[in-house]
Amino acid sequence: MSTFWIGTGWKMNKTVAETRRYIADLKARLPDDAGADYALFIIPPFTALAAAREAIGMAPVLLGAQNMHWADAGAYTGEISAVMLKEFDIDLVELGHSERREHFGETDATINLKVKAALRHGFRPLLCVGDSAEERAAGASGAAVVRQVKLAFAGLTKSEISRCLVAYEPIWAIGEGGVPASPEEARPVHVALHVALKELGAPSVPVLYGGSVNLDNAAALAGEQAIDGLFVGRAAWSADGFAALISRVMAARKAATSTPAKAMPAIG
Ligand code: PEP
């Protein structure tokens, strides 16, 4: 079975104390075999990274940051650099979330600089891309996210791109009021992303889906061949919720490997 990614980004939620409690609860609830075939990750706010690293200990849970600046240091008040993040021994850095693009003026060009800086410092960038409701209505979802990926990865070598993760997060699907993409709706966009990544010489880059994933839709989304992982917000903000999602996905994938394979869409 290939590695399946399941992670959660906490946005601007959870104090240090809440982080410690969450991780202790999560560790107590993780299925014994969660570390095999699964890559689990949590992305707390900056202020909780030290506590999260300590609380994770030897548990099979990767740690990520929600953003970073592209410069190592300098006159960028309020920003956090990769050099600073290194002290927390993080594994991943989330870049390009649509909330950062919308509220904090992130552009494809600055995201490209951040991806390069993250790779330079040995982090695995988790690049978020997403289509707007208008792009979806115009049938332009695939084109919109492929464009974002190409701009974010411009100037990178094939091996650098191969160290990244991509998360397809439809803007219309995430957060309060978001409507989750059905597996049928997510499929062609994931296929388009896989085709683009293959063209860029990095066919093995995992493409995760994020946007109102919950206990009811997680197994079906995880069952799509072109979906290599789930990036979860609200449904995983409690340790119980995250552990239940992990168990649900693991059970569904176990059941799928013991039944005949379904017809899969070609990915180029
Ligand atoms: C997100 O905003 O990245 C996200 C996946 O959120 P939610 O699962 O709450 O829609």
Side-chain angles (χ1 to χ4, degrees):
M1 224 197 292
S2 59
T3 299
F4 192 82
W5 293 78
I6 313 180
T8 174
W10 294 354
K11 310 196 185 197
M12 197 174 68
N13 294 292
K14 295 198 193 301
T15 61
V16 167
E18 288 165 343
T19 298
R20 290 204 178 101
R21 217 163 24 241
Y22 178 105
I23 294 172
D25 288 350
L26 179 66
K27 283 164 73 174
R29 287 167 175 72
L30 276 185
D32 286 342
D33 50 349
D37 302 321
Y38 290 84
L40 308 178
F41 64 90
I42 59 170
I43 308 188
F46 292 130
T47 47
L49 285 174
R53 173 46 76 214
E54 193 188 341
I56 288 171
M58 300 303 285
V61 178
L62 301 171
L63 180 63
Q66 297 183 13
N67 179 37
M68 55 169 254
H69 198 271
W70 60 85
D72 287 357
Y76 297 106
T77 300
E79 291 290 309
I80 302 286
S81 78
V83 174
M84 298 164 183
L85 291 176
K86 254 196 144 82
E87 293 189 312
F88 303 111
D89 195 20
I90 62 161
D91 306 290
L92 310 167
V93 63
E94 179 183 354
L95 297 171
H97 191 282
S98 59
E99 289 158 9
R100 297 225 41 98
R101 294 178 194 251
E102 180 185 350
H103 302 304
F104 302 100
E106 297 218 353
T107 64
D108 292 309
T110 57
I111 293 163
N112 175 247
L113 291 173
K114 292 180 180 201
V115 170
K116 287 175 176 162
L119 288 167
R120 207 165 51 241
H121 287 278
F123 305 145
R124 189 191 270 267
L126 167 57
L127 172 70
C128 299
V129 295
D131 52 322
S132 66
E134 294 72 29
E135 287 161 338
R136 177 196 194 194
S141 299
V145 295
V146 164
R147 181 175 183 281
Q148 289 168 25
V149 164
K150 287 188 172 166
L151 292 170
F153 290 163
L156 300 189
T157 64
K158 292 172 189 178
S159 78
E160 285 173 331
I161 299 174
S162 300
R163 284 160 51 202
C164 299
L165 298 168
V166 170
Y168 169 48
E169 297 214 308
I171 298 168
W172 43 269
I174 63 169
E176 292 298 337
V179 182
S182 65
E184 296 71 30
E185 205 165 7
R187 184 186 303 145
V189 184
H190 278 254
V191 169
L193 286 166
H194 279 294
V195 169
L197 289 161
K198 193 174 174 192
E199 282 167 12
L200 291 172
S204 61
V205 171
V207 182
L208 286 59
Y209 168 80
S212 295
V213 172
N214 58 43
L215 261 189
D216 296 329
N217 61 17
L221 287 161
E224 280 296 323
Q225 194 218 4
I227 296 182
D228 306 305
L230 299 176
F231 188 26
V232 190
R234 292 156 297 158
W237 287 349
S238 72
D240 268 356
F242 192 28
L245 264 173
I246 294 166
S247 299
R248 178 71 54 93
V249 169
M250 287 176 69
R253 282 170 51 85
K254 232 174 250 164
T257 53
S258 55
T259 53
K262 56 189 175 177
M264 299 299 180
I267 57 170

